[in-house]
Amino acid sequence: MAVVLAAVAVTAGLLTAPMAFAALSGRTSSTASWAAAANFGVGRLFGWGDNTEGQLGLGNSSDRRSPTQVGTATTWTRLAVGREHTCARQTSGTLWCSGDNTYGQLGLGNTTDHSVHTQVGTATTWSQVGAGDLHTCATRTTGGLYCWGRNNAGQLGLADSTNRTVPVQVGAAAVWAMPAAGYEHTCATRSNGTLWCWGSNGSGQLGLGDTAGRTSPVQVGTGVTWASVTAGFAHTCATRTNGTLWCWGSNGSGQLGLGDTAGRTSPVQVGTGVTWASVTAGFAHTCATRTNGTLWCWGYNGSGQLGLGDTTSRTSPVQVGTATTWASVTAGLAHACAMRSGRTVWCWGDNTEGQLGMGDTTNRTSPVQVPGFLGRPLVTGPTSSSVLSIS
């Protein structure tokens, strides 16, 4: 799977979404993911969907088609989902990871896979966490940023391309707020409102005006009003404090929401709206919520992952239904899940591995409520067929 994905990454931005998905389909499991979401809530941990490498932390490698509780702890509070690994934080400030560990992405000092969540070191100061394809980054309450795992494109931000099996601090700055890890690139906001990106840049996903990769964090423009950032397979989107939405990078399926399929190497505003609340980047599609509680999706839609009742791709944001109670959304490889204000969870798109949580493997092209489950937060990622949630 890693070899196939690497081949896709090299040509990211040159492939259309169907071609890229075809390249990813060399195995029955279409897994993968990375995500750093604005997490909130405390409680029990649940997982569903792909579990090929034990990434759900259930002690085995059997997929789950419905939400399944992970262990007995009731103090989980932050979540991140990588291609075949996941990480989660507890209220004690400890960080735990499980799943594939080929490149040390679990941060345990070795390359041994784990099918149950295992504590990363002894630190009790972990804050936010984001899982990329085969790497992980997390902040501490002191403001420091740490990364580990695969580093072939400099995605760890450590000024080299050497893999790490334990967390290593990125520079000396202690002002990091939120990391977002993509396939082979990473972006993060700082407490001063600046945005920084590094790693692979073949499609301009770093937003630096070119396609040259970086092995250390580089500031994106001069703006100091960045509020959040999400990293997809080869595109990136971010919101600003004034409610505007900006996207850049690969755009072969219209995932930038700019009304065309031309890639961008610098941030470009999506429309003129100033009411965007949150955004999530999937493999080749993007979804976002607005302050009025509406949900919007755009980009590739071959499996109905836009939730619009069909499989037609869109190059501009389109509202999903008419509901005005959407609270958050997370986008995967070919599916998406979202939470409404009452903590009900809804999923749609590809369901090959039960990632919609419906108890079956039937695809859905419109949002369908996950039966009997209330959750927050809710996390998957750009090439993921796995989902984690807290309930």
Side-chain angles (χ1 to χ4, degrees):
M1 181 66 167
V3 173
V4 174
L5 282 169
V8 176
V10 169
T11 55
L14 299 179
L15 293 178
T16 63
M19 293 170 63
F21 277 110
L24 281 167
S25 64
R27 58 178 292 188
T28 301
S29 169
S30 57
T31 64
S33 101
W34 43 84
N39 287 241
F40 54 92
V42 176
R44 298 172 298 165
L45 178 62
F46 286 77
W48 63 92
D50 180 61
N51 191 36
T52 306
E53 298 294 331
Q55 60 263 46
L56 298 184
L58 298 169
N60 55 52
S61 57
S62 300
D63 294 348
R64 299 300 196 278
R65 299 177 181 178
S66 300
T68 303
Q69 186 172 349
V70 181
T72 59
T74 60
T75 55
W76 298 103
T77 184
R78 305 259 200 275
L79 307 174
V81 179
R83 172 155 70 100
E84 291 176 331
H85 78 287
T86 66
C87 293
R89 175 190 181 272
Q90 292 198 30
T91 54
S92 61
T94 55
L95 182 65
W96 305 70
C97 296
S98 69
D100 178 45
N101 196 31
T102 303
Y103 295 92
Q105 57 265 47
L106 301 188
L108 305 175
N110 55 50
T111 55
T112 303
D113 296 349
H114 290 259
S115 61
V116 295
H117 285 96
T118 304
Q119 187 174 348
V120 179
T122 59
T124 58
T125 56
W126 294 107
S127 179
Q128 303 287 347
V129 58
D133 182 57
L134 294 165
H135 73 288
T136 309
C137 291
T139 58
R140 287 189 174 175
T141 53
T142 55
L145 175 65
Y146 293 74
C147 292
W148 58 96
R150 195 181 190 195
N151 194 34
N152 60 303
Q155 57 265 52
L156 301 188
L158 302 174
D160 58 39
S161 56
T162 303
N163 300 337
R164 304 298 202 283
T165 61
V166 296
V168 178
Q169 187 169 359
V170 180
V175 293
W176 297 100
M178 171 69 74
Y183 176 72
E184 288 180 345
H185 78 290
T186 308
C187 293
T189 56
R190 285 185 172 182
S191 55
N192 62 0
T194 57
L195 176 63
W196 302 68
C197 293
W198 58 95
S200 178
N201 194 32
S203 298
Q205 58 263 49
L206 301 187
L208 303 175
D210 57 42
T211 56
R214 307 296 201 281
T215 59
S216 298
V218 178
Q219 187 175 349
V220 179
T222 59
V224 295
T225 59
W226 296 105
S228 70
V229 62
T230 178
F233 182 83
H235 76 289
T236 309
C237 292
T239 60
R240 286 188 167 174
T241 54
N242 63 0
T244 57
L245 174 64
W246 303 70
C247 293
W248 58 94
S250 177
N251 193 34
S253 296
Q255 58 263 48
L256 301 187
L258 303 174
D260 57 42
T261 56
R264 306 296 200 282
T265 60
S266 297
V268 178
Q269 187 175 350
V270 179
T272 59
V274 294
T275 59
W276 296 103
S278 69
V279 61
T280 177
F283 182 91
H285 72 292
T286 309
C287 292
T289 59
R290 286 188 165 173
T291 54
N292 63 0
T294 57
L295 175 64
W296 303 69
C297 292
W298 58 95
Y300 186 63
N301 195 32
S303 297
Q305 55 263 57
L306 301 188
L308 302 174
D310 57 43
T311 56
T312 303
S313 298
R314 308 298 204 282
T315 60
S316 297
V318 179
Q319 187 174 348
V320 180
T322 59
T324 58
T325 55
W326 296 105
S328 67
V329 61
T330 182
L333 170 66
H335 78 290
C337 291
M339 184 186 71
R340 287 188 175 175
S341 55
R343 295 179 59 201
T344 57
V345 174
W346 303 67
C347 295
W348 58 95
D350 180 57
N351 195 32
T352 307
E353 294 168 88
Q355 58 265 48
L356 302 189
M358 305 293 171
D360 57 38
T361 56
T362 303
N363 293 354
R364 309 297 202 283
T365 60
S366 297
V368 179
Q369 187 174 349
V370 176
F373 183 76
L374 299 178
R376 66 168 190 176
L378 182 68
V379 177
T380 182
T383 61
S384 172
S385 295
S386 306
V387 181
L388 288 184
S389 184
I390 291 171
S391 180

